[in-house]
Structures are given as structure tokens and as C-alpha cells.
Amino acid sequence: EQAALYEAVVNDMLAQIDQSGGIQRRGLILAALVKLKQVCNHPALFLGDGSELPHRSGKCERLAEMLEEVLAEGDRALIFSQYRGMGELLKKLLEDAFHREVLFLHGGSTRLQRDAMVERFQQGDGSVPLFLLSLKAGGFGLNLTAANHVFHFDRWWNPAVEDQATDRAHRIGQVQRVQVHKFVCIGTLEERIDVLLEH
């Protein structure tokens, strides 16, 4: 499903770009890049149709597998996405998969909600070991040293933004080794972004 949607977006984009020029052409390309990144995350994010979530996204399946190991070890994880909509989908998917609450900090969270979520995650009892954050809302100003895993579910164009997000776990007071996991759909725009960021 993801591959078919990806190909459809590419074909549609190419047809529209051939018939446009200048600023309109740039706008179409930018819109298509966003759509392609959404398809790589989950078809439901791209379609926005509220359809079923399980077993439709390779990234989501892999994330659930890895988080199962994280939880089995008694570890805690931060999961970053640049899309609030993807965070909402992941929250539902992960809560259904693991039958436990998953915190989600995004741009619409109040200061009070943000502080309460950080405090709950940082508590020593580890009762809420998974913390989803939108990249912009959680990218700076937070101290989340309880985490020893950081997942970047989708890649941002600017590596400094990703590094700032990762640094939420790499703060003064961190005594654990932190593992950073970056998800990339092979053979897609995401792989190109990854190569770009590495260079």
C-alpha cells in the first residue's frame, strides 16, 4: 500500500510539474515532498481518512518491535516526529499495542501540561516509559535524562534540529548510555535526505 501510494504521488507530481513553471512549480515540488514523507510514515497520515492503523506501515511495525525490546529491558524512550498528526497516530498505535499510557507533547500542549508530562516521565518508577514529542515542541528546553533511547521516526532537513532533539536525553545528569535510532524508508526520498544529512 505504501509503495503504491508513493508511486501515485510521484506520478501525479511529475505530471503537474511538467505543466507549471516558476514559483508555482516550486510550490508543487515542496507539497509533493511533504506528501511523500507522509506516505513513508503511514498511509493514514497521508490519506487523513481515519482508517485502520495496524499492519500498514513498515516504520510503525519496526518501531513497535524495537519498543517491545526497550520495555522488556525496563528502559525508557523518546520518540520524535515532525508531524503532530503522526504523533497522534503513534500514540494510539502504541497504547493499543502495549496497553499502557504514552505521553505526547506537541505545539498545542500548554506549559502546565508540558511540565506535568516531563515530571511524570522523569519519575523514578518508570510507570510511563514512552514519550512522544513533536520535533518543534520537544526539540529544545527540556531535560529528559530518564530516557536511554531516542527514536527519530521521520527525518528533518536540518541535522541541527535533530541533534537538539536528541540532546533532550544528553543533558547534565545523564548517567546512562543513550542509543539513537533514525528511521529511513529505503528507496525513497527519505534515503536521499539521510545521505544529504550525513554529508
Side-chain angles (χ1 to χ4, degrees):
E1 181 186 11
Q2 281 180 289
L5 276 173
Y6 192 93
E7 189 174 353
V9 171
V10 168
N11 292 337
D12 182 54
M13 171 187 73
L14 293 175
Q16 288 185 50
I17 288 171
D18 283 344
Q19 300 169 9
S20 64
I23 193 83
Q24 183 187 16
R25 181 183 176 104
R26 288 183 183 178
L28 288 169
I29 291 170
L30 187 59
L33 294 179
V34 170
K35 289 177 185 176
L36 291 173
K37 290 178 81 175
Q38 290 176 337
V39 170
C40 288
N41 280 357
H42 198 294
L45 177 65
F46 169 71
L47 296 170
D49 59 0
S51 55
E52 287 295 309
L53 299 178
H55 313 298
R56 294 174 64 201
S57 163
K59 275 189 184 183
C60 290
E61 296 290 308
R62 185 66 184 128
L63 179 66
E65 289 170 4
M66 293 179 77
L67 288 176
E68 190 171 358
E69 293 177 24
V70 166
L71 295 174
E73 292 294 321
D75 292 345
R76 297 190 226 178
L78 306 177
I79 305 137
F80 288 96
S81 175
Q82 62 184 297
Y83 300 106
R84 178 177 173 176
M86 191 65 228
E88 290 165 354
L89 295 179
L90 283 173
K91 180 174 170 55
K92 180 170 178 18
L93 269 170
L94 298 176
E95 286 181 340
D96 290 349
F98 299 118
H99 308 291
R100 60 171 70 207
E101 182 184 6
V102 175
L103 300 171
F104 180 35
L105 174 65
H106 52 79
S109 305
T110 66
R111 178 73 180 217
L112 201 61
Q113 290 170 326
R114 174 183 136 152
D115 293 346
M117 282 188 265
V118 169
E119 187 176 334
R120 288 187 67 205
F121 183 76
Q122 288 290 103
Q123 283 177 359
D125 64 3
S127 59
V128 191
L130 302 178
F131 198 169
L132 278 162
L133 305 101
S134 72
L135 201 55
K136 289 182 181 175
F140 52 90
L142 298 176
N143 186 343
L144 299 168
T145 53
N148 57 334
H149 290 269
V150 176
F151 290 86
H152 289 284
F153 190 77
D154 38 53
R155 308 298 303 278
W156 188 246
W157 302 104
N158 183 347
V161 173
E162 280 188 356
D163 291 344
Q164 279 183 334
T166 298
D167 287 346
R168 298 314 95 215
H170 281 288
R171 308 293 283 175
I172 293 172
Q174 178 59 276
V175 294
Q176 308 173 87
R177 178 173 293 182
V178 177
Q179 296 182 51
V180 180
H181 314 275
K182 298 178 180 182
F183 282 34
V184 175
C185 281
I186 301 302
T188 70
L189 167 74
E190 289 194 327
E191 194 173 20
R192 299 282 180 95
I193 294 171
D194 185 58
V195 170
L196 190 74
L197 293 177
E198 289 303 315
H199 286 92

